[in-house]
Amino acid sequence: MAAKSGSELDAPLLDRSSSPPPSSNGAAARKITAWMLRALMWIVFLAWILVLLAFPKIKLGPGSSGTGIVLLLFAAPVLSLALLATIYLEIRIKPVSTTKKSQPAISLWTCPCLVDGLLGVVSAAEVLLIVAFVGYLVWCLTIYVINDSDLVQRFMKFPAIREKFLPWELWTYVIGLRFGFLGLFCLGFLLLPVARGSPLLRLVDIPFEHAVKYHVWLGHLTMAIFTIHGLCYVVVWTVQGRLEELLAWQRIGVANLPGEISLVAGLLLWMTSFGYIRQAFFELFFYTHQLYVVFFVFMAFHIGDLSFCISMAGFFLFMLDRFLRFCQSRRSVDLLVSRVLPCGTIEVALSKPQDLNYNALSFIFLSFPKISFLQWHPFSVSSSPYDARDNMSFLIKPLGSWTDELQKLIKESTNKRNACPVLGVEGPYGHESDYYLKYEALVLVAGGIGVSPFIAILRDILHRYNMKHGNLPKEVTLIWAVKYSKELGIINLVQPEFIFPDYASRLKLTIQAFVTREIQPDIEEATPLPEHILSFAKKPDSKPVSTLVGTYSNLWMGVYIAVSTAGFFLTQTIMEKFFLGPMTVPTEGGSSGGSVSWTVRAAALLLSMTCGVVVFGGLAIALWNWIERSRKGRTSGCQESIIGATGAGDKVGVAGCQQHSLVGPWNTVYGNRPELKEIFAGFAKKWSGINVGVLVCGPSTLQTSVAEECRANNLKFGSVAFHYHSVSFDL
């Protein structure tokens, strides 16, 4: 392979345009409308909280009327908040994150409180939420026990009950029932954090990679409660010699066998989701997690439609998100350009529509069908939205069988015309705000390929300086630990001189690199700049990423949610009137639902939910997709990016300025890890009267160490406040 010139080594992966994404135009009417929507959402939220406070005392009978009331009380508020959130996100004038001079203040959300426990790094605000959530469950259980004590005493007066149950057995039955209701309450929240494109997460600016830990916490709690629920009944049946009850599938009332199937599926999910198993056997974790379908379906068969509606909203929003992601991922996307760096890390670029927005903290999920149809892996962007409006870049480091196969696939496809591998894409996802811009100083701590999002952040800040944006961070320090010196060249992808040649006069950029497994530089391996080893470019009509997911159109997301929800209620109404209604025979008390199997009613509810999402929501997606495909000029910018600089469709653009290496003997330590305690102590002495943003991306041990130093320095109540942010993706 021919050697590359110095200017070509400095070149970006694609020739990029620095024109910024279009900014939103504010108006007084929009501010008023946004304020009204925010007030309405608070009203709905507080009303929902009141319903939850009354949860232990709500008693409803079976039948269509009872199901409708439960939907109104528990599902309607959550679905209404999701719909209102999409409108609010579109109407509001998005605040611009800028550095503000303010007194150092510790924030509950960014102040680590617990750092080395089973829950990982937990902020002070999260501790308060955990205490409130667990306290609510304890309060509910207390109310249940108080109310049930009189009930148990009355039941024990009946001879038939005394013959069948001892007092402790009846109490065990009742406690098992109440734990089942508590589990249903937790189940309603379980899937909300993993609806990746959920407007509720975007409303509170909690990205999926951060929210996933809430799903983990809720999963452990939910399965612990359901396990206690099941054990209570099994213990009583074992003592009484009635284990045949395990196989009972009652027509009316709670069906035992579906509950056991659901519990077994849940236990398999739970056992394979613990940290060690998840990391050592990720594919086992991934495939067993697909049993969530069995878990929820048989849960509905177990408890019937009435009780399932308590937790239905979270499941429905997850179905909406999952179907939307399925539709987006069906469109194949071409790799625009790719190269393999000396350390083996792969840099790839994908074409995207110009109006598909993302930020420097965004990430996407990628799937290469030639490797696996089912496996999807998350990757942080390594480009700034100001780099180009028609493409985005990512760094992929081979760390396992999937990424190793990807590296081989790209090498095999190199320089073969029209042989570019296709892939599936979900996303982009990420923060709604560029929160890192509000700090006067930034500390970026990375381990290995964890530097990828920080490359995007640095490029973003440099672009903003070049465009003369005001109130930006004045000082950025990158602390980066790698195993081998050949990895150091990755940081030169920041290309500060290429973006803003005079950056040193405006921004103080400090890089401290640590090579942990070498005691001196490896002359043969180390290269000051990333060498362009392999590359290929697809022809200009490359298929871009679909805009169905991400921050493309909040209004279309609102239409999708509204149409799907309306379709669900319409289908359920038709089911009640023409299918379930004729099967219902009024009971002696005058209530309905006496002759319809609970399993049948649950199946009808699940069918209505599926119909609402797939049929009605599918129509909205089809219209959305048709309009997207009809937009002109989607891919015209791709041709300019690839061939505009060189005039050749199979080469990368060549930059016109010489870039100096950002790492070298002057800022690299060999054979040691960063002494974070000393480093942060130096920061505390160096800075005074400012808020410092500390962003970390790397293994859990690195996150814990950084969080400990932030907490220790904040507890000193000095003149500097360290605000901890994890941008690591712990799946």
Side-chain angles (χ1 to χ4, degrees):
M1 182 174 293
K4 307 297 179 181
S5 64
S7 60
E8 189 170 351
L9 290 177
D10 297 343
L13 188 59
L14 291 174
D15 182 37
R16 305 184 188 276
S17 167
S18 60
S19 56
S23 59
S24 57
N25 297 321
R30 292 179 62 184
K31 291 183 179 180
I32 295 174
T33 305
W35 182 88
M36 294 175 62
L37 285 171
R38 190 162 58 247
L40 181 57
M41 285 189 290
W42 270 110
I43 292 173
V44 174
F45 176 74
L46 293 176
W48 181 54
I49 293 298
L50 291 177
V51 171
L52 296 182
L53 291 176
F55 176 65
K57 299 183 179 181
I58 294 178
K59 297 180 181 180
L60 295 171
S64 60
S65 60
T67 302
I69 293 174
V70 174
L71 285 173
L72 179 63
L73 292 177
F74 292 95
V78 179
L79 297 178
S80 298
L81 284 173
L83 180 58
L84 291 172
T86 60
I87 303 174
Y88 173 77
L89 290 170
E90 182 70 21
I91 295 296
R92 69 168 182 170
I93 300 175
K94 188 175 180 179
V96 179
S97 297
T98 57
T99 303
K100 297 180 180 179
K101 292 287 185 180
S102 59
Q103 293 297 320
I106 298 175
S107 169
L108 292 178
W109 283 106
T110 59
C111 178
C113 185
L114 305 176
V115 297
D116 54 0
L118 294 176
L119 300 181
V121 179
V122 185
S123 69
E126 290 169 341
V127 169
L128 294 177
L129 289 177
I130 292 172
V131 171
F133 193 88
V134 175
Y136 172 80
L137 295 180
V138 173
W139 176 77
C140 286
L141 186 60
T142 303
I143 297 297
Y144 280 139
V145 170
I146 293 174
N147 293 339
D148 292 338
S149 60
D150 293 336
L151 183 65
V152 170
Q153 291 179 5
R154 290 200 304 268
F155 276 5
M156 291 306 297
K157 293 180 180 179
F158 294 98
I161 298 296
R162 289 199 303 269
E163 291 178 3
K164 189 174 182 179
F165 295 100
L166 295 174
W168 75 267
E169 294 174 343
L170 184 57
W171 264 112
T172 304
Y173 244 64
V174 172
I175 294 298
L177 174 65
R178 297 315 183 190
F179 268 95
F181 276 111
L182 294 181
L184 278 179
F185 173 79
C186 296
L187 197 64
F189 293 89
L190 180 62
L191 295 181
L192 289 178
V194 288
R196 298 174 187 170
S198 170
L200 295 178
L201 292 180
R202 293 178 56 205
L203 179 66
V204 295
D205 196 18
I206 297 179
F208 170 69
E209 74 270 21
H210 187 78
V212 71
K213 72 176 181 180
Y214 302 145
H215 170 73
V216 174
W217 297 348
L218 286 166
H220 289 308
L221 179 61
T222 302
M223 285 312 305
I225 291 175
F226 277 140
T227 301
I228 295 174
H229 162 74
L231 285 176
C232 287
Y233 290 96
V234 172
V235 167
V236 174
W237 291 335
T238 301
V239 171
Q240 295 181 346
R242 295 192 298 129
L243 288 178
E244 65 275 6
E245 292 286 344
L246 292 170
L247 302 178
W249 193 319
Q250 294 86 340
R251 183 173 176 274
I252 304 296
V254 174
N256 296 339
L257 183 58
E260 288 133 20
I261 296 174
S262 177
L263 182 59
V264 170
L267 289 174
L268 289 174
L269 288 171
W270 191 21
M271 288 186 296
T272 57
S273 65
F274 285 94
Y276 172 78
I277 298 177
R278 187 175 67 248
Q279 295 171 9
F281 308 98
F282 179 80
E283 291 189 0
L284 176 64
F285 157 76
F286 175 81
Y287 290 118
T288 54
H289 244 63
Q290 309 313 307
L291 291 173
Y292 76 88
V293 178
V294 176
F295 175 76
F296 276 94
V297 169
F298 281 89
M299 173 71 70
F301 291 164
H302 171 56
I303 59 180
D305 61 324
L306 180 70
S307 297
F308 188 74
C309 285
I310 294 174
S311 55
M312 166 261 175
F315 186 46
F316 188 71
L317 288 177
F318 177 79
M319 290 177 63
L320 287 171
D321 178 77
R322 188 66 191 88
F323 183 66
L324 189 62
R325 291 190 283 117
F326 171 80
C327 293
Q328 185 198 33
S329 63
R330 292 310 92 192
R331 173 188 289 185
S332 60
V333 178
D334 296 320
L335 280 183
L336 209 55
V337 180
S338 175
R339 62 182 173 188
V340 180
L341 305 180
C343 60
T345 298
I346 307 164
E347 187 185 13
V348 300
L350 308 178
S351 175
K352 78 173 187 68
Q354 293 190 4
D355 47 9
L356 178 63
N357 300 324
Y358 74 100
N359 61 35
L361 289 169
S362 296
F363 67 94
I364 63 171
F365 282 80
L366 297 181
S367 169
F368 284 81
K370 285 189 177 181
I371 301 175
S372 173
F373 282 98
L374 297 178
Q375 289 193 45
W376 292 80
H377 294 263
F379 298 97
S380 301
V381 300
S382 59
S383 59
S384 163
Y386 294 103
D387 284 338
R389 293 183 58 189
D390 53 21
N391 59 77
M392 58 175 67
S393 302
F394 307 87
L395 292 176
I396 303 174
K397 182 177 182 179
L399 292 173
S401 59
W402 188 88
T403 46
D404 288 339
E405 288 296 323
L406 174 60
Q407 187 184 57
K408 294 179 183 178
L409 178 63
I410 290 179
K411 288 182 178 180
E412 292 173 358
S413 303
T414 301
N415 298 325
K416 293 181 181 179
R417 186 70 64 177
N418 295 326
C420 171
V422 296
L423 64 155
V425 177
E426 289 183 8
Y429 308 102
H431 276 277
E432 280 292 298
S433 63
D434 304 316
Y435 65 83
Y436 53 88
L437 297 176
K438 69 182 180 180
Y439 298 110
E440 298 175 58
L442 286 176
V443 176
L444 312 177
V445 186
I449 196 61
V451 77
S452 180
F454 299 149
I455 292 175
I457 288 176
L458 290 173
R459 292 183 64 89
D460 190 59
I461 294 174
L462 289 166
H463 274 298
R464 292 173 187 269
Y465 268 112
N466 188 46
M467 293 182 293
K468 303 187 185 318
H469 289 192
N471 299 322
L472 296 172
K474 301 297 187 296
E475 187 169 350
V476 179
T477 301
L478 172 63
I479 303 169
W480 185 29
V482 298
K483 293 180 179 179
Y484 304 104
S485 57
K486 65 181 181 180
E487 301 177 53
L488 295 175
I490 296 176
I491 195 60
N492 291 298
L493 295 174
V494 174
Q495 302 170 325
E497 285 133 343
F498 181 79
I499 298 173
F500 182 34
D502 194 31
Y503 78 94
S505 64
R506 304 285 303 278
L507 173 68
K508 184 178 181 182
L509 175 59
T510 304
I511 298 177
Q512 300 177 25
F514 296 83
V515 181
T516 60
R517 296 192 180 181
E518 294 177 3
I519 59 175
Q520 62 182 4
D522 189 334
I523 304 299
E524 296 182 357
E525 294 288 348
T527 56
L529 292 173
E531 182 183 356
H532 181 179
I533 298 180
L534 306 169
S535 70
F536 57 82
K538 191 68 175 175
K539 53 187 180 180
D541 60 349
S542 297
K543 299 176 184 178
V545 178
S546 170
T547 57
L548 289 181
V549 178
T551 55
Y552 169 60
S553 175
N554 296 305
L555 289 181
W556 268 115
M557 178 65 76
V559 170
Y560 172 57
I561 294 175
V563 171
S564 300
T565 304
F568 158 65
F569 283 109
L570 177 62
T571 307
Q572 183 68 10
T573 301
I574 294 174
M575 285 279 191
E576 291 285 353
K577 184 173 181 62
F578 297 103
F579 178 62
L580 299 176
M583 298 172 58
T584 302
V585 178
T587 60
E588 295 181 0
S591 62
S592 61
S595 63
V596 181
S597 168
W598 282 25
T599 302
V600 173
R601 297 193 65 89
L605 178 67
L606 293 174
L607 182 61
S608 298
M609 294 169 64
T610 305
C611 183
V613 173
V614 176
V615 178
F616 290 87
L619 292 175
I621 292 176
L623 180 60
W624 184 355
N625 196 48
W626 178 79
I627 292 177
E628 175 200 346
R629 289 178 179 272
S630 301
R631 299 179 68 90
K632 296 181 180 180
R634 276 186 306 116
T635 59
S636 59
C638 298
Q639 183 173 3
E640 297 174 2
S641 294
I642 299 175
I643 67 177
T646 63
D650 57 350
K651 297 198 178 187
V652 194
V654 178
C657 65
Q658 178 68 34
Q659 178 186 307
H660 299 90
S661 178
L662 295 176
V663 290
W666 61 89
N667 62 354
T668 304
V669 176
Y670 290 86
N672 288 307
R673 299 180 183 275
E675 294 291 341
L676 293 176
K677 187 173 183 179
E678 296 180 5
I679 293 174
F680 273 82
F683 290 151
K685 295 178 180 179
K686 174 183 178 181
W687 293 318
S688 176
I690 63 172
N691 293 287
V692 179
V694 180
L695 283 68
V696 58
C697 185
S700 57
T701 53
L702 180 63
Q703 298 175 50
T704 299
S705 299
V706 174
E708 286 178 345
E709 296 307 319
C710 290
R711 182 182 64 176
N713 283 276
N714 287 338
L715 290 177
K716 295 177 181 177
F717 298 101
S719 59
V720 178
F722 292 95
H723 298 264
Y724 174 87
H725 299 272
S726 173
V727 294
S728 302
F729 200 102
D730 298 320
L731 185 61

